[in-house]
């Protein structure tokens, strides 16, 4: 299904607005189903990189995602590193 260019431009603008100073990582893996979020093989997950902010991670994500557009099961995700921290747990 072709993507509406206006919708794509709006999404790109939203990503730019959400750019923040928090570190972000790019994660790639093949899903069991294109509709789901369960990876086929956790041992084959690929960390694309760790970036200083969301904007840089988004640029890398977009480039990598476009390179695998023919594989409906392949997904790239941006992981906000600060959301993985548990500040309640003592080190």
């Amino acid at each position: 299904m072709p993507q509406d260019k206006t919708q794509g431009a709006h999404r790109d603008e939203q990503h730019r607005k959400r750019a923040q100073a928090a570190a972000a990582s790019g994660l790639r893996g093949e899903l069991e189903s294109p509709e789901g979020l369960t990876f086929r093989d956790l041992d084959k997950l690929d960390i694309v990189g760790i970036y200083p902010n969301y904007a840089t991670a988004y640029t890398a994500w977009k480039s990598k995602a476009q390179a695998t557009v023919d594989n409906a099961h392949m997904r790239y995700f941006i992981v906000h590193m600060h959301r993985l921290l548990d500040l309640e747990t003592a080190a």
Side-chain angles (χ1 to χ4, degrees):
M1 169 183 282
Q3 180 181 348
D4 177 8
K5 289 183 181 183
T6 305
Q7 186 180 34
H10 176 71
R11 185 176 52 238
D12 286 350
E13 182 61 24
Q14 284 179 325
H15 287 290
R16 278 191 284 277
K17 286 182 179 180
R18 289 191 339 203
Q20 51 189 292
S25 173
L27 178 70
R28 176 185 73 175
E30 231 176 323
L31 301 175
E32 288 181 354
S33 163
E35 295 84 24
L37 292 175
T38 303
F39 291 106
R40 279 188 180 167
D41 187 347
L42 294 177
D43 290 331
K44 292 185 179 179
L45 285 181
D46 180 27
I47 296 176
V48 177
I50 297 177
Y51 305 94
N53 55 52
Y54 180 88
T56 307
Y58 176 75
T59 299
W61 164 84
K62 190 171 183 179
S63 173
K64 293 284 191 175
Q66 289 174 343
T68 60
V69 71
D70 292 335
N71 183 347
H73 289 87
M74 185 63 68
R75 290 291 188 276
Y76 287 84
F77 296 94
I78 295 175
V79 177
H80 299 268
M81 304 298 279
H82 66 280
R83 292 183 184 169
L84 299 175
L85 297 175
D86 181 2
L87 300 178
E88 300 295 319
T89 303

